Amino acid sequence: MPQIKSAIKRVKTQDAARKRNAAQMNKLRTTVKKFKDAQAAGAEDASELHVAAVRALDKAASKGLIHKNKDNRDKKRLAKLVK
């Protein structure tokens, strides 16, 4: 554990950011997985879930959670599943 006050604060903020990022990544993965499962099952709400998955990917890229190229690559793969 750090002794310097600024280092102690930095550890706290890093921990908070790590937890926040982990939660957002879980949410992103869950949204994409729901769409893939619905598409494989031929569900009627698959198009709505596709929009939600694309939106989640865009949001993650805009917040710096994932790289913009990964965002575009994943969106293209999801679009292929729709066809």
Side-chain angles (χ1 to χ4, degrees), residues 9-29 56 59-60 63-66:
K9 183 176 181 181
R10 194 71 203 134
V11 168
K12 288 180 185 178
T13 57
Q14 287 172 345
D15 189 47
R18 182 182 55 78
K19 288 178 182 177
R20 184 172 49 251
N21 288 340
Q24 289 177 349
M25 282 300 288
N26 276 336
K27 196 174 192 180
L28 170 67
R29 289 187 193 114
K59 197 169 193 178
K63 291 181 179 284
L65 200 58
I66 60 174

Side-chain angles (χ1 to χ4, degrees), residues 47-74:
S47 62
E48 294 172 11
L49 292 173
H50 177 255
V51 171
V54 168
R55 185 171 181 196
L57 284 166
D58 285 335
K59 197 169 193 178
S62 71
K63 291 181 179 284
L65 200 58
I66 60 174
H67 195 273
K68 64 177 182 160
N69 290 351
K70 177 177 170 44
D71 172 42
N72 290 330
R73 183 175 63 241
D74 288 350

